Amino acid sequence: VTIKVFGGLTVAEHASNLSELWLPPQGTEYGGKGVLEAWWNISDQAWASADLSFGSTHMDYGGRIRLGWRLWPELSAGLEGGSGGTAEPDLERDTARIGGFLRYEWATGEVSISGGWAAEGTWLEREGPAPFGTVSLLTRF
């Protein structure tokens, strides 16, 4: 098991009409983000990770669990599930999501693309699932 700590920049764009359903249009916002991740190499091909994160743009927090399979030493595919929300009083929203991912790693970093379905809203007023997609880039410097 390996424990990792990451810190970096969050960039959020709220320009589409869809985002106006729960976020007023604000343009591009920048902030900090921190992540604590636990990584377990189950075998040479299988791995699992769990992480907790906090971002400053909307006081957002989240957690995610991934189960991956190495197709090649550098390329993994797998399933992920997670939940998150925001501590900002005007934007109190919870999100639960489930999906899949592709992850490519190299000696000094990784890029990950994930997508699936997310249900947003408060836990008492959960809305139906909608598609989501994310791209993450991690590099050492």
Side-chain angles (χ1 to χ4, degrees):
V1 174
T2 304
I3 305 294
K4 302 177 187 179
V5 177
F6 299 98
L9 176 68
T10 291
V11 179
E13 178 70 37
H14 305 291
S16 74
N17 289 335
L18 293 176
S19 69
E20 293 175 18
L21 296 174
W22 71 281
L23 276 178
Q26 300 170 7
T28 303
E29 297 177 88
Y30 301 91
K33 184 171 185 173
V35 179
L36 176 65
E37 179 182 75
W39 184 278
W40 176 31
N41 285 318
I42 301 167
S43 71
D44 288 342
Q45 278 76 36
W47 56 267
S49 70
D51 61 60
L52 298 172
S53 65
F54 182 80
S56 67
T57 53
H58 293 290
M59 304 297 286
D60 53 307
Y61 55 87
R64 178 180 65 185
I65 296 174
R66 281 183 161 180
L67 183 58
W69 184 263
R70 287 188 178 88
L71 305 170
W72 292 287
E74 301 85 11
L75 182 65
S76 298
L79 300 173
E80 71 176 26
S83 183
T86 178
E88 217 173 89
D90 295 342
L91 299 173
E92 285 188 47
R93 302 293 283 186
D94 294 318
T95 302
R97 65 187 214 178
I98 189 163
F101 67 89
L102 283 174
R103 177 180 172 270
Y104 183 81
E105 62 182 292
W106 59 94
T108 60
E110 67 182 59
V111 63
S112 178
I113 300 169
S114 60
W117 292 269
E120 294 184 337
T122 64
W123 288 107
L124 296 175
E125 299 172 354
R126 178 73 60 199
E127 298 172 9
F132 79 88
T134 61
V135 176
S136 299
L137 173 66
L138 302 172
T139 60
R140 246 186 271 164
F141 56 92

